[in-house]
Amino acid sequence: MLSKFEQVKKEWGGHNDVIDQWLMMRQQLLIDYCKLIGITPNDDNRHLPTASKLCLFSEDLIDYISAGHFKIYDNVMVRWHQTGFSPTEEMSALYAKITLTTEPLLNFNDRYGAINDNDPLETLDDDLSQMGELMESRFALEDKLIELISDSLACPPGA
């Protein structure tokens, strides 16, 4: 996920403020996820995350999903309205696939967003693995959408 993100950031970063904001939020979510699952550059020891780390990641996850649906996509739509651009069927289909990942991601927050240190974490490893797969799937779909919309966002308003 991290190497794919670096490729996407290199290819699409710096071309548009909306895309840059989107990628910056994704980068923070990935950093938090890696910290949560115990991936660090120089540490081979893995420890269960604390309740506060799980809650923080859940908050970041909600922020990322909310920003996508209510800020990033809204900014894209405003820009399109200003330029007279209409999304293609492929763009709409990708967005629909992205929204299908929202509920399963929110389920993680429902389960871990308000836990405390005494709560059992018996399924945490499986849940984190599923979370990683869902995020990877969502990010791949978002990358395709970024590729499709980047040119339309580069047009100045009224063009």
Side-chain angles (χ1 to χ4, degrees):
M1 253 190 304
L2 292 173
S3 60
K4 177 64 177 164
F5 173 76
E6 287 302 321
Q7 291 172 347
V8 169
K9 188 176 173 184
K10 193 179 279 188
E11 185 170 353
W12 300 109
H15 293 109
N16 180 274
D17 58 333
V18 174
I19 292 172
D20 287 344
Q21 181 183 14
W22 197 353
L23 294 176
M24 187 173 65
M25 291 187 74
R26 184 191 299 180
Q27 181 176 11
Q28 186 58 52
L29 187 65
L30 282 169
I31 289 168
D32 291 343
Y33 178 75
C34 288
K35 286 179 184 177
L36 190 66
I37 62 172
I39 295 175
T40 57
N42 299 316
D43 184 12
D44 293 332
N45 298 322
R46 187 168 180 278
H47 307 283
L48 285 177
T50 63
S52 62
K53 286 182 181 179
L54 280 166
C55 292
L56 178 63
F57 176 76
S58 292
E59 288 174 16
D60 288 346
L61 179 64
I62 295 297
D63 289 347
Y64 182 82
I65 292 170
S66 297
H69 288 294
F70 303 114
K71 190 172 183 181
I72 303 295
Y73 301 141
D74 285 349
N75 287 342
V76 169
M77 297 305 284
V78 166
R79 184 77 54 97
W80 285 349
H81 180 71
Q82 292 172 338
T83 62
F85 183 85
S86 296
T88 65
E89 285 183 37
E90 186 177 12
M91 291 172 183
S92 297
L94 276 170
Y95 180 75
K97 288 178 182 177
I98 290 168
T99 61
L100 291 176
T101 66
T102 299
E103 186 175 339
L105 289 170
L106 293 177
N107 289 340
F108 184 89
N109 177 67
D110 293 344
R111 178 172 257 179
Y112 296 104
I115 67 163
N116 63 55
D117 286 324
N118 297 323
D119 289 337
L121 300 175
E122 292 135 4
T123 62
L124 180 62
D125 279 341
D126 290 338
D127 293 340
L128 286 171
S129 177
Q130 183 181 16
M131 172 64 53
E133 291 173 13
L134 283 166
M135 288 178 7
E136 188 170 19
S137 173
R138 183 181 183 106
F139 296 160
L141 293 167
E142 289 176 348
D143 293 346
K144 290 177 188 175
L145 187 60
I146 287 171
E147 184 178 351
L148 292 174
I149 68 174
S150 64
D151 287 341
S152 68
L153 297 176
C155 297

